[in-house]
Amino acid sequence: FFCNEEITANIMKPKGRPLSPSRATMIANTVLFVAALCSITAPIHGFQVSPPLAVLKMSKKNRPSVVNLPMDSGGGDDATTAKPISQPTSINLPLVLTNLANQAFIGSTIWTGGAGYQTLVEHANFDSGAVLLGVAGVIPLLLLSRKIETSESPYVSGLNLSTNMAVLKLFGPKARPVLALAISVLLAGVTGITEETVFRGQSLPTFANNYFEGDYLAGAVCSTLLFAILHTNPLGFFKSRDAFIDNSTLLILQLINGSTFCLLYLATGNLAVSIIAHALYDTYTFYKTHLVDVAGQMEYAERETSMPTCSSDKVEKMWIENRGEQWLKDAKQAFYLMDTNKDGTLSRKELRIALYSYGIYLSRAQSELVEEAADTDQSGSIEFDEYLDYIGPPGSQYKAVKYTLFGPT
């Protein structure tokens, strides 16, 4: 990305007002850098939920907008649960290689011994102190990430879902502890080296020295803003309200991440610290999402679905006779996919978060009404028999929730 100064000055020299070689180079490099990153990082990091397909649209006052994510329900409104679009069943090696190739392109001067490599050699010292500071520096980000993962706020539901879908597409639905860890470390390590060298090691001083007369604080702000913007899908802001919310949430999160990495670099003067923190954060995101949120949850649901889970054989036979064996199997799968703490029951929070995945957006008060209607023994959680009693008569989650909130329509 870094052009020869003399050639660049001749190419970019406007009539009547010659540019200095250094300033012309800076402008050319900035344009090339932003154009390249926009074309590459947006599809990778700009996770967003595709425009939803309307299933229920309740637009009257105090009614939520209930929509279904783009899934194949296999049965319209009568379906007990929507079935996700088919995903790869093994490691998606082409996607892994594509991500690595993208990072190699972004950091081409690192891997070819150019300016990026010189920046890395001069400003990164991978000693024990850098490791300790990197580990300490990433802890606040991991705590924030955990808070987001367990939040029932509708503003982060799209971010959580799209992250899960992206990791599912990358690693598949089966847990692969060793291979997934190796790939996570590889992707995270390459990404940490590339992005910290480019954004903190090169963009920050470039902005500071060429735009703000050596003001590194201003350079930090600009490089962090660029980092955050390029980790979203800019076009997503204009697609729909949901896409705007998802991208805005992602932008805020990336501003926090970028600011943290930037602060680590400025406070220590060692690029290795921010590289280590960045790599650890990405490793956690890849590996934990795969092993716990995606593969772990899917294997738990599959295991429980294959077992008798009603309170008695009599109850199970009754539902098979009334609704069919496939309906009961789908109901089991939906229930245990929602049971994220794997205790065999659904809490109000688990139910509300899970319904986001099916496009049903409830306020806290509305989710309390649904829990009250479903939890017939008032135990504080919904057991599987209660879940069947709740969704069984209307035939689906959509109709059951709709009936609870609005009555017969």
PDB file of all heavy atoms in Angstrom, residues 46-55 57 66-72 85 158 161-162 233 235-244 246-247 356-359 361:
ATOM      1  N   GLY A  46     -18.442  -7.614   9.137  1.00  0.00           N
ATOM      2  CA  GLY A  46     -19.729  -6.940   9.153  1.00  0.00           C
ATOM      3  C   GLY A  46     -20.867  -7.908   9.347  1.00  0.00           C
ATOM      4  O   GLY A  46     -21.778  -7.982   8.532  1.00  0.00           O
ATOM      5  N   PHE A  47     -20.822  -8.691  10.436  1.00  0.00           N
ATOM      6  CA  PHE A  47     -21.866  -9.662  10.694  1.00  0.00           C
ATOM      7  C   PHE A  47     -23.185  -8.929  10.886  1.00  0.00           C
ATOM      8  O   PHE A  47     -23.295  -8.007  11.671  1.00  0.00           O
ATOM      9  CB  PHE A  47     -21.563 -10.469  11.970  1.00  0.00           C
ATOM     10  CG  PHE A  47     -20.312 -11.273  11.887  1.00  0.00           C
ATOM     11  CD1 PHE A  47     -19.531 -11.475  13.014  1.00  0.00           C
ATOM     12  CD2 PHE A  47     -19.900 -11.836  10.692  1.00  0.00           C
ATOM     13  CE1 PHE A  47     -18.380 -12.228  12.964  1.00  0.00           C
ATOM     14  CE2 PHE A  47     -18.741 -12.593  10.626  1.00  0.00           C
ATOM     15  CZ  PHE A  47     -17.987 -12.788  11.767  1.00  0.00           C
ATOM     16  N   GLN A  48     -24.203  -9.373  10.199  1.00  0.00           N
ATOM     17  CA  GLN A  48     -25.508  -8.787  10.400  1.00  0.00           C
ATOM     18  C   GLN A  48     -26.568  -9.797  10.000  1.00  0.00           C
ATOM     19  O   GLN A  48     -26.324 -10.709   9.227  1.00  0.00           O
ATOM     20  CB  GLN A  48     -25.698  -7.522   9.569  1.00  0.00           C
ATOM     21  CG  GLN A  48     -25.651  -7.765   8.065  1.00  0.00           C
ATOM     22  CD  GLN A  48     -25.985  -6.509   7.300  1.00  0.00           C
ATOM     23  OE1 GLN A  48     -25.617  -5.428   7.684  1.00  0.00           O
ATOM     24  NE2 GLN A  48     -26.707  -6.669   6.223  1.00  0.00           N
ATOM     25  N   VAL A  49     -27.741  -9.632  10.565  1.00  0.00           N
ATOM     26  CA  VAL A  49     -28.833 -10.525  10.244  1.00  0.00           C
ATOM     27  C   VAL A  49     -29.447 -10.100   8.927  1.00  0.00           C
ATOM     28  O   VAL A  49     -29.657  -8.925   8.681  1.00  0.00           O
ATOM     29  CB  VAL A  49     -29.894 -10.478  11.357  1.00  0.00           C
ATOM     30  CG1 VAL A  49     -31.058 -11.396  11.011  1.00  0.00           C
ATOM     31  CG2 VAL A  49     -29.281 -10.872  12.694  1.00  0.00           C
ATOM     32  N   SER A  50     -29.711 -11.070   8.062  1.00  0.00           N
ATOM     33  CA  SER A  50     -30.319 -10.751   6.781  1.00  0.00           C
ATOM     34  C   SER A  50     -31.701 -10.169   6.986  1.00  0.00           C
ATOM     35  O   SER A  50     -32.327 -10.379   8.025  1.00  0.00           O
ATOM     36  CB  SER A  50     -30.420 -12.024   5.931  1.00  0.00           C
ATOM     37  OG  SER A  50     -29.137 -12.579   5.731  1.00  0.00           O
ATOM     38  N   PRO A  51     -32.220  -9.421   6.009  1.00  0.00           N
ATOM     39  CA  PRO A  51     -33.556  -8.852   6.157  1.00  0.00           C
ATOM     40  C   PRO A  51     -34.572  -9.936   6.466  1.00  0.00           C
ATOM     41  O   PRO A  51     -34.627 -10.962   5.796  1.00  0.00           O
ATOM     42  CB  PRO A  51     -33.807  -8.229   4.773  1.00  0.00           C
ATOM     43  CG  PRO A  51     -32.454  -7.944   4.238  1.00  0.00           C
ATOM     44  CD  PRO A  51     -31.578  -9.038   4.763  1.00  0.00           C
ATOM     45  N   PRO A  52     -35.373  -9.766   7.525  1.00  0.00           N
ATOM     46  CA  PRO A  52     -36.295 -10.804   7.961  1.00  0.00           C
ATOM     47  C   PRO A  52     -37.500 -10.947   7.049  1.00  0.00           C
ATOM     48  O   PRO A  52     -37.888 -10.028   6.351  1.00  0.00           O
ATOM     49  CB  PRO A  52     -36.720 -10.335   9.354  1.00  0.00           C
ATOM     50  CG  PRO A  52     -36.580  -8.856   9.298  1.00  0.00           C
ATOM     51  CD  PRO A  52     -35.408  -8.587   8.388  1.00  0.00           C
ATOM     52  N   LEU A  53     -38.094 -12.129   7.105  1.00  0.00           N
ATOM     53  CA  LEU A  53     -39.328 -12.396   6.389  1.00  0.00           C
ATOM     54  C   LEU A  53     -40.479 -12.245   7.370  1.00  0.00           C
ATOM     55  O   LEU A  53     -40.460 -12.842   8.448  1.00  0.00           O
ATOM     56  CB  LEU A  53     -39.313 -13.817   5.806  1.00  0.00           C
ATOM     57  CG  LEU A  53     -38.147 -14.135   4.864  1.00  0.00           C
ATOM     58  CD1 LEU A  53     -38.228 -15.598   4.447  1.00  0.00           C
ATOM     59  CD2 LEU A  53     -38.207 -13.245   3.633  1.00  0.00           C
ATOM     60  N   ALA A  54     -41.481 -11.478   7.029  1.00  0.00           N
ATOM     61  CA  ALA A  54     -42.578 -11.231   7.950  1.00  0.00           C
ATOM     62  C   ALA A  54     -43.431 -12.477   8.145  1.00  0.00           C
ATOM     63  O   ALA A  54     -43.821 -13.132   7.202  1.00  0.00           O
ATOM     64  CB  ALA A  54     -43.445 -10.096   7.424  1.00  0.00           C
ATOM     65  N   VAL A  55     -43.661 -12.803   9.400  1.00  0.00           N
ATOM     66  CA  VAL A  55     -44.591 -13.881   9.725  1.00  0.00           C
ATOM     67  C   VAL A  55     -45.824 -13.294  10.395  1.00  0.00           C
ATOM     68  O   VAL A  55     -46.941 -13.543  10.007  1.00  0.00           O
ATOM     69  CB  VAL A  55     -43.920 -14.917  10.651  1.00  0.00           C
ATOM     70  CG1 VAL A  55     -44.952 -15.919  11.152  1.00  0.00           C
ATOM     71  CG2 VAL A  55     -42.828 -15.646   9.898  1.00  0.00           C
ATOM     72  N   LYS A  57     -47.134  -9.437  11.772  1.00  0.00           N
ATOM     73  CA  LYS A  57     -46.820  -8.020  11.809  1.00  0.00           C
ATOM     74  C   LYS A  57     -47.898  -7.313  12.623  1.00  0.00           C
ATOM     75  O   LYS A  57     -48.984  -7.024  12.122  1.00  0.00           O
ATOM     76  CB  LYS A  57     -46.766  -7.446  10.381  1.00  0.00           C
ATOM     77  CG  LYS A  57     -46.016  -6.127  10.312  1.00  0.00           C
ATOM     78  CD  LYS A  57     -44.541  -6.300  10.619  1.00  0.00           C
ATOM     79  CE  LYS A  57     -43.763  -5.013  10.460  1.00  0.00           C
ATOM     80  NZ  LYS A  57     -42.352  -5.182  10.779  1.00  0.00           N
ATOM     81  N   VAL A  66     -43.496  -8.573  15.392  1.00  0.00           N
ATOM     82  CA  VAL A  66     -43.045  -9.950  15.468  1.00  0.00           C
ATOM     83  C   VAL A  66     -42.740 -10.446  14.071  1.00  0.00           C
ATOM     84  O   VAL A  66     -43.610 -10.479  13.218  1.00  0.00           O
ATOM     85  CB  VAL A  66     -44.117 -10.851  16.120  1.00  0.00           C
ATOM     86  CG1 VAL A  66     -43.587 -12.269  16.280  1.00  0.00           C
ATOM     87  CG2 VAL A  66     -44.510 -10.292  17.473  1.00  0.00           C
ATOM     88  N   VAL A  67     -41.498 -10.796  13.848  1.00  0.00           N
ATOM     89  CA  VAL A  67     -41.083 -11.246  12.522  1.00  0.00           C
ATOM     90  C   VAL A  67     -40.278 -12.517  12.650  1.00  0.00           C
ATOM     91  O   VAL A  67     -39.802 -12.861  13.721  1.00  0.00           O
ATOM     92  CB  VAL A  67     -40.239 -10.174  11.800  1.00  0.00           C
ATOM     93  CG1 VAL A  67     -41.063  -8.951  11.508  1.00  0.00           C
ATOM     94  CG2 VAL A  67     -39.017  -9.802  12.627  1.00  0.00           C
ATOM     95  N   ASN A  68     -40.110 -13.191  11.556  1.00  0.00           N
ATOM     96  CA  ASN A  68     -39.349 -14.426  11.541  1.00  0.00           C
ATOM     97  C   ASN A  68     -38.063 -14.220  10.772  1.00  0.00           C
ATOM     98  O   ASN A  68     -38.078 -13.688   9.673  1.00  0.00           O
ATOM     99  CB  ASN A  68     -40.180 -15.526  10.875  1.00  0.00           C
ATOM    100  CG  ASN A  68     -39.439 -16.854  10.860  1.00  0.00           C
ATOM    101  OD1 ASN A  68     -38.721 -17.157  11.794  1.00  0.00           O
ATOM    102  ND2 ASN A  68     -39.629 -17.612   9.816  1.00  0.00           N
ATOM    103  N   LEU A  69     -36.939 -14.677  11.356  1.00  0.00           N
ATOM    104  CA  LEU A  69     -35.667 -14.597  10.662  1.00  0.00           C
ATOM    105  C   LEU A  69     -35.721 -15.495   9.440  1.00  0.00           C
ATOM    106  O   LEU A  69     -36.556 -16.383   9.352  1.00  0.00           O
ATOM    107  CB  LEU A  69     -34.541 -15.037  11.597  1.00  0.00           C
ATOM    108  CG  LEU A  69     -34.316 -14.108  12.786  1.00  0.00           C
ATOM    109  CD1 LEU A  69     -33.264 -14.707  13.691  1.00  0.00           C
ATOM    110  CD2 LEU A  69     -33.902 -12.737  12.334  1.00  0.00           C
ATOM    111  N   PRO A  70     -34.807 -15.262   8.467  1.00  0.00           N
ATOM    112  CA  PRO A  70     -34.878 -16.028   7.232  1.00  0.00           C
ATOM    113  C   PRO A  70     -34.551 -17.498   7.441  1.00  0.00           C
ATOM    114  O   PRO A  70     -33.430 -17.932   7.270  1.00  0.00           O
ATOM    115  CB  PRO A  70     -33.826 -15.356   6.343  1.00  0.00           C
ATOM    116  CG  PRO A  70     -32.881 -14.745   7.298  1.00  0.00           C
ATOM    117  CD  PRO A  70     -33.711 -14.321   8.464  1.00  0.00           C
ATOM    118  N   MET A  71     -35.537 -18.253   7.849  1.00  0.00           N
ATOM    119  CA  MET A  71     -35.380 -19.683   8.059  1.00  0.00           C
ATOM    120  C   MET A  71     -36.505 -20.411   7.344  1.00  0.00           C
ATOM    121  O   MET A  71     -37.549 -19.856   7.045  1.00  0.00           O
ATOM    122  CB  MET A  71     -35.434 -20.027   9.560  1.00  0.00           C
ATOM    123  CG  MET A  71     -34.282 -19.454  10.364  1.00  0.00           C
ATOM    124  SD  MET A  71     -34.406 -19.924  12.089  1.00  0.00           S
ATOM    125  CE  MET A  71     -32.899 -19.240  12.741  1.00  0.00           C
ATOM    126  N   ASP A  72     -36.294 -21.675   7.116  1.00  0.00           N
ATOM    127  CA  ASP A  72     -37.304 -22.511   6.492  1.00  0.00           C
ATOM    128  C   ASP A  72     -38.087 -23.203   7.586  1.00  0.00           C
ATOM    129  O   ASP A  72     -37.594 -24.106   8.241  1.00  0.00           O
ATOM    130  CB  ASP A  72     -36.630 -23.550   5.592  1.00  0.00           C
ATOM    131  CG  ASP A  72     -37.620 -24.519   4.975  1.00  0.00           C
ATOM    132  OD1 ASP A  72     -38.823 -24.207   4.986  1.00  0.00           O
ATOM    133  OD2 ASP A  72     -37.169 -25.567   4.477  1.00  0.00           O
ATOM    134  N   ILE A  85     -31.338 -22.675   8.037  1.00  0.00           N
ATOM    135  CA  ILE A  85     -30.832 -23.013   6.714  1.00  0.00           C
ATOM    136  C   ILE A  85     -29.626 -23.921   6.873  1.00  0.00           C
ATOM    137  O   ILE A  85     -28.815 -23.751   7.774  1.00  0.00           O
ATOM    138  CB  ILE A  85     -30.462 -21.720   5.959  1.00  0.00           C
ATOM    139  CG1 ILE A  85     -31.713 -20.867   5.771  1.00  0.00           C
ATOM    140  CG2 ILE A  85     -29.830 -22.017   4.628  1.00  0.00           C
ATOM    141  CD1 ILE A  85     -31.420 -19.466   5.281  1.00  0.00           C
ATOM    142  N   GLY A 158     -29.269  -9.404  17.593  1.00  0.00           N
ATOM    143  CA  GLY A 158     -28.810  -9.639  16.226  1.00  0.00           C
ATOM    144  C   GLY A 158     -27.321  -9.884  16.168  1.00  0.00           C
ATOM    145  O   GLY A 158     -26.848 -10.726  15.392  1.00  0.00           O
ATOM    146  N   LEU A 161     -26.698 -13.459  17.485  1.00  0.00           N
ATOM    147  CA  LEU A 161     -27.153 -14.459  16.527  1.00  0.00           C
ATOM    148  C   LEU A 161     -26.225 -14.531  15.320  1.00  0.00           C
ATOM    149  O   LEU A 161     -25.857 -15.623  14.866  1.00  0.00           O
ATOM    150  CB  LEU A 161     -28.578 -14.137  16.078  1.00  0.00           C
ATOM    151  CG  LEU A 161     -29.167 -15.071  15.010  1.00  0.00           C
ATOM    152  CD1 LEU A 161     -29.242 -16.505  15.529  1.00  0.00           C
ATOM    153  CD2 LEU A 161     -30.545 -14.588  14.569  1.00  0.00           C
ATOM    154  N   SER A 162     -25.835 -13.378  14.786  1.00  0.00           N
ATOM    155  CA  SER A 162     -24.989 -13.391  13.596  1.00  0.00           C
ATOM    156  C   SER A 162     -23.595 -13.923  13.901  1.00  0.00           C
ATOM    157  O   SER A 162     -22.968 -14.565  13.052  1.00  0.00           O
ATOM    158  CB  SER A 162     -24.906 -11.975  13.000  1.00  0.00           C
ATOM    159  OG  SER A 162     -24.457 -11.036  13.961  1.00  0.00           O
ATOM    160  N   ASN A 233     -20.497  -3.417   8.372  1.00  0.00           N
ATOM    161  CA  ASN A 233     -20.890  -3.379   6.964  1.00  0.00           C
ATOM    162  C   ASN A 233     -21.567  -2.035   6.727  1.00  0.00           C
ATOM    163  O   ASN A 233     -22.743  -1.873   7.064  1.00  0.00           O
ATOM    164  CB  ASN A 233     -21.838  -4.527   6.631  1.00  0.00           C
ATOM    165  CG  ASN A 233     -22.198  -4.574   5.155  1.00  0.00           C
ATOM    166  OD1 ASN A 233     -21.878  -3.657   4.392  1.00  0.00           O
ATOM    167  ND2 ASN A 233     -22.861  -5.631   4.746  1.00  0.00           N
ATOM    168  N   LEU A 235     -22.930  -0.543   4.306  1.00  0.00           N
ATOM    169  CA  LEU A 235     -24.188  -0.556   3.561  1.00  0.00           C
ATOM    170  C   LEU A 235     -25.344  -1.048   4.420  1.00  0.00           C
ATOM    171  O   LEU A 235     -26.507  -0.741   4.142  1.00  0.00           O
ATOM    172  CB  LEU A 235     -24.052  -1.442   2.323  1.00  0.00           C
ATOM    173  CG  LEU A 235     -23.053  -0.972   1.260  1.00  0.00           C
ATOM    174  CD1 LEU A 235     -23.009  -1.962   0.104  1.00  0.00           C
ATOM    175  CD2 LEU A 235     -23.436   0.417   0.746  1.00  0.00           C
ATOM    176  N   GLY A 236     -25.023  -1.807   5.466  1.00  0.00           N
ATOM    177  CA  GLY A 236     -26.068  -2.328   6.334  1.00  0.00           C
ATOM    178  C   GLY A 236     -26.825  -1.261   7.081  1.00  0.00           C
ATOM    179  O   GLY A 236     -27.965  -1.481   7.505  1.00  0.00           O
ATOM    180  N   PHE A 237     -26.216  -0.096   7.260  1.00  0.00           N
ATOM    181  CA  PHE A 237     -26.899   0.989   7.959  1.00  0.00           C
ATOM    182  C   PHE A 237     -28.127   1.477   7.190  1.00  0.00           C
ATOM    183  O   PHE A 237     -29.010   2.104   7.764  1.00  0.00           O
ATOM    184  CB  PHE A 237     -25.938   2.160   8.184  1.00  0.00           C
ATOM    185  CG  PHE A 237     -24.910   1.916   9.243  1.00  0.00           C
ATOM    186  CD1 PHE A 237     -23.635   1.493   8.906  1.00  0.00           C
ATOM    187  CD2 PHE A 237     -25.209   2.085  10.581  1.00  0.00           C
ATOM    188  CE1 PHE A 237     -22.670   1.269   9.878  1.00  0.00           C
ATOM    189  CE2 PHE A 237     -24.266   1.856  11.566  1.00  0.00           C
ATOM    190  CZ  PHE A 237     -22.994   1.450  11.214  1.00  0.00           C
ATOM    191  N   PHE A 238     -28.179   1.194   5.903  1.00  0.00           N
ATOM    192  CA  PHE A 238     -29.245   1.742   5.063  1.00  0.00           C
ATOM    193  C   PHE A 238     -30.230   0.670   4.584  1.00  0.00           C
ATOM    194  O   PHE A 238     -31.130   0.968   3.810  1.00  0.00           O
ATOM    195  CB  PHE A 238     -28.633   2.442   3.843  1.00  0.00           C
ATOM    196  CG  PHE A 238     -27.583   3.454   4.200  1.00  0.00           C
ATOM    197  CD1 PHE A 238     -26.231   3.152   4.110  1.00  0.00           C
ATOM    198  CD2 PHE A 238     -27.948   4.708   4.658  1.00  0.00           C
ATOM    199  CE1 PHE A 238     -25.257   4.072   4.454  1.00  0.00           C
ATOM    200  CE2 PHE A 238     -26.980   5.644   5.002  1.00  0.00           C
ATOM    201  CZ  PHE A 238     -25.636   5.337   4.898  1.00  0.00           C
ATOM    202  N   LYS A 239     -30.091  -0.567   5.048  1.00  0.00           N
ATOM    203  CA  LYS A 239     -30.933  -1.645   4.540  1.00  0.00           C
ATOM    204  C   LYS A 239     -32.278  -1.710   5.242  1.00  0.00           C
ATOM    205  O   LYS A 239     -33.320  -1.825   4.618  1.00  0.00           O
ATOM    206  CB  LYS A 239     -30.199  -2.981   4.670  1.00  0.00           C
ATOM    207  CG  LYS A 239     -29.085  -3.166   3.653  1.00  0.00           C
ATOM    208  CD  LYS A 239     -28.489  -4.565   3.735  1.00  0.00           C
ATOM    209  CE  LYS A 239     -27.438  -4.774   2.654  1.00  0.00           C
ATOM    210  NZ  LYS A 239     -26.850  -6.137   2.712  1.00  0.00           N
ATOM    211  N   SER A 240     -32.266  -1.696   6.564  1.00  0.00           N
ATOM    212  CA  SER A 240     -33.496  -1.810   7.330  1.00  0.00           C
ATOM    213  C   SER A 240     -33.242  -1.321   8.743  1.00  0.00           C
ATOM    214  O   SER A 240     -32.096  -1.099   9.142  1.00  0.00           O
ATOM    215  CB  SER A 240     -33.987  -3.263   7.358  1.00  0.00           C
ATOM    216  OG  SER A 240     -33.078  -4.074   8.088  1.00  0.00           O
ATOM    217  N   ARG A 241     -34.326  -1.176   9.502  1.00  0.00           N
ATOM    218  CA  ARG A 241     -34.194  -0.728  10.879  1.00  0.00           C
ATOM    219  C   ARG A 241     -33.387  -1.736  11.689  1.00  0.00           C
ATOM    220  O   ARG A 241     -32.497  -1.353  12.458  1.00  0.00           O
ATOM    221  CB  ARG A 241     -35.571  -0.546  11.499  1.00  0.00           C
ATOM    222  CG  ARG A 241     -35.542  -0.115  12.969  1.00  0.00           C
ATOM    223  CD  ARG A 241     -36.944   0.042  13.544  1.00  0.00           C
ATOM    224  NE  ARG A 241     -36.910   0.402  14.941  1.00  0.00           N
ATOM    225  CZ  ARG A 241     -36.811  -0.471  15.948  1.00  0.00           C
ATOM    226  NH1 ARG A 241     -36.732  -1.778  15.663  1.00  0.00           N
ATOM    227  NH2 ARG A 241     -36.789  -0.076  17.200  1.00  0.00           N
ATOM    228  N   ASP A 242     -33.686  -3.031  11.529  1.00  0.00           N
ATOM    229  CA  ASP A 242     -32.958  -4.052  12.277  1.00  0.00           C
ATOM    230  C   ASP A 242     -31.481  -4.074  11.907  1.00  0.00           C
ATOM    231  O   ASP A 242     -30.615  -4.209  12.775  1.00  0.00           O
ATOM    232  CB  ASP A 242     -33.568  -5.432  12.014  1.00  0.00           C
ATOM    233  CG  ASP A 242     -34.934  -5.596  12.654  1.00  0.00           C
ATOM    234  OD1 ASP A 242     -35.236  -4.837  13.589  1.00  0.00           O
ATOM    235  OD2 ASP A 242     -35.702  -6.460  12.205  1.00  0.00           O
ATOM    236  N   ALA A 243     -31.194  -3.951  10.609  1.00  0.00           N
ATOM    237  CA  ALA A 243     -29.800  -3.929  10.166  1.00  0.00           C
ATOM    238  C   ALA A 243     -29.081  -2.694  10.705  1.00  0.00           C
ATOM    239  O   ALA A 243     -27.896  -2.759  11.059  1.00  0.00           O
ATOM    240  CB  ALA A 243     -29.727  -3.958   8.641  1.00  0.00           C
ATOM    241  N   PHE A 244     -29.782  -1.576  10.775  1.00  0.00           N
ATOM    242  CA  PHE A 244     -29.189  -0.347  11.328  1.00  0.00           C
ATOM    243  C   PHE A 244     -28.837  -0.548  12.801  1.00  0.00           C
ATOM    244  O   PHE A 244     -27.751  -0.157  13.253  1.00  0.00           O
ATOM    245  CB  PHE A 244     -30.159   0.819  11.170  1.00  0.00           C
ATOM    246  CG  PHE A 244     -29.661   2.114  11.762  1.00  0.00           C
ATOM    247  CD1 PHE A 244     -28.805   2.931  11.039  1.00  0.00           C
ATOM    248  CD2 PHE A 244     -30.030   2.501  13.044  1.00  0.00           C
ATOM    249  CE1 PHE A 244     -28.324   4.119  11.585  1.00  0.00           C
ATOM    250  CE2 PHE A 244     -29.558   3.681  13.598  1.00  0.00           C
ATOM    251  CZ  PHE A 244     -28.704   4.495  12.861  1.00  0.00           C
ATOM    252  N   ASP A 246     -28.297  -3.435  14.360  1.00  0.00           N
ATOM    253  CA  ASP A 246     -27.200  -4.403  14.464  1.00  0.00           C
ATOM    254  C   ASP A 246     -25.851  -3.767  14.158  1.00  0.00           C
ATOM    255  O   ASP A 246     -24.869  -3.985  14.872  1.00  0.00           O
ATOM    256  CB  ASP A 246     -27.439  -5.578  13.505  1.00  0.00           C
ATOM    257  CG  ASP A 246     -28.635  -6.423  13.916  1.00  0.00           C
ATOM    258  OD1 ASP A 246     -29.025  -6.349  15.088  1.00  0.00           O
ATOM    259  OD2 ASP A 246     -29.168  -7.150  13.060  1.00  0.00           O
ATOM    260  N   ASN A 247     -25.803  -2.971  13.090  1.00  0.00           N
ATOM    261  CA  ASN A 247     -24.542  -2.333  12.708  1.00  0.00           C
ATOM    262  C   ASN A 247     -24.135  -1.261  13.703  1.00  0.00           C
ATOM    263  O   ASN A 247     -22.945  -1.082  13.980  1.00  0.00           O
ATOM    264  CB  ASN A 247     -24.659  -1.740  11.305  1.00  0.00           C
ATOM    265  CG  ASN A 247     -24.337  -2.749  10.215  1.00  0.00           C
ATOM    266  OD1 ASN A 247     -23.183  -2.967   9.876  1.00  0.00           O
ATOM    267  ND2 ASN A 247     -25.371  -3.385   9.679  1.00  0.00           N
ATOM    268  N   TYR A 356     -35.972 -14.278  20.162  1.00  0.00           N
ATOM    269  CA  TYR A 356     -35.360 -13.355  19.191  1.00  0.00           C
ATOM    270  C   TYR A 356     -34.902 -14.124  17.953  1.00  0.00           C
ATOM    271  O   TYR A 356     -35.008 -13.643  16.825  1.00  0.00           O
ATOM    272  CB  TYR A 356     -34.147 -12.646  19.798  1.00  0.00           C
ATOM    273  CG  TYR A 356     -34.440 -11.672  20.904  1.00  0.00           C
ATOM    274  CD1 TYR A 356     -33.544 -11.483  21.948  1.00  0.00           C
ATOM    275  CD2 TYR A 356     -35.605 -10.908  20.913  1.00  0.00           C
ATOM    276  CE1 TYR A 356     -33.785 -10.581  22.969  1.00  0.00           C
ATOM    277  CE2 TYR A 356     -35.861 -10.015  21.939  1.00  0.00           C
ATOM    278  CZ  TYR A 356     -34.951  -9.852  22.955  1.00  0.00           C
ATOM    279  OH  TYR A 356     -35.198  -8.955  23.965  1.00  0.00           O
ATOM    280  N   SER A 357     -34.366 -15.340  18.181  1.00  0.00           N
ATOM    281  CA  SER A 357     -33.849 -16.134  17.066  1.00  0.00           C
ATOM    282  C   SER A 357     -34.948 -16.554  16.100  1.00  0.00           C
ATOM    283  O   SER A 357     -34.679 -16.837  14.938  1.00  0.00           O
ATOM    284  CB  SER A 357     -33.141 -17.387  17.596  1.00  0.00           C
ATOM    285  OG  SER A 357     -32.069 -17.035  18.437  1.00  0.00           O
ATOM    286  N   TYR A 358     -36.172 -16.618  16.617  1.00  0.00           N
ATOM    287  CA  TYR A 358     -37.306 -16.966  15.770  1.00  0.00           C
ATOM    288  C   TYR A 358     -38.031 -15.719  15.266  1.00  0.00           C
ATOM    289  O   TYR A 358     -39.099 -15.808  14.667  1.00  0.00           O
ATOM    290  CB  TYR A 358     -38.277 -17.863  16.537  1.00  0.00           C
ATOM    291  CG  TYR A 358     -37.684 -19.184  16.928  1.00  0.00           C
ATOM    292  CD1 TYR A 358     -37.302 -19.442  18.242  1.00  0.00           C
ATOM    293  CD2 TYR A 358     -37.469 -20.175  15.979  1.00  0.00           C
ATOM    294  CE1 TYR A 358     -36.735 -20.653  18.604  1.00  0.00           C
ATOM    295  CE2 TYR A 358     -36.907 -21.391  16.333  1.00  0.00           C
ATOM    296  CZ  TYR A 358     -36.542 -21.629  17.642  1.00  0.00           C
ATOM    297  OH  TYR A 358     -35.977 -22.822  17.990  1.00  0.00           O
ATOM    298  N   GLY A 359     -37.456 -14.556  15.541  1.00  0.00           N
ATOM    299  CA  GLY A 359     -38.047 -13.322  15.057  1.00  0.00           C
ATOM    300  C   GLY A 359     -39.159 -12.792  15.928  1.00  0.00           C
ATOM    301  O   GLY A 359     -39.924 -11.931  15.499  1.00  0.00           O
ATOM    302  N   TYR A 361     -39.971 -10.624  19.023  1.00  0.00           N
ATOM    303  CA  TYR A 361     -39.340  -9.639  19.893  1.00  0.00           C
ATOM    304  C   TYR A 361     -40.332  -9.197  20.962  1.00  0.00           C
ATOM    305  O   TYR A 361     -41.329  -8.548  20.668  1.00  0.00           O
ATOM    306  CB  TYR A 361     -38.851  -8.438  19.080  1.00  0.00           C
ATOM    307  CG  TYR A 361     -37.747  -8.781  18.120  1.00  0.00           C
ATOM    308  CD1 TYR A 361     -38.049  -9.307  16.858  1.00  0.00           C
ATOM    309  CD2 TYR A 361     -36.416  -8.619  18.476  1.00  0.00           C
ATOM    310  CE1 TYR A 361     -37.030  -9.647  15.979  1.00  0.00           C
ATOM    311  CE2 TYR A 361     -35.400  -8.949  17.597  1.00  0.00           C
ATOM    312  CZ  TYR A 361     -35.722  -9.466  16.357  1.00  0.00           C
ATOM    313  OH  TYR A 361     -34.713  -9.802  15.493  1.00  0.00           O
TER     314      TYR A 361
END
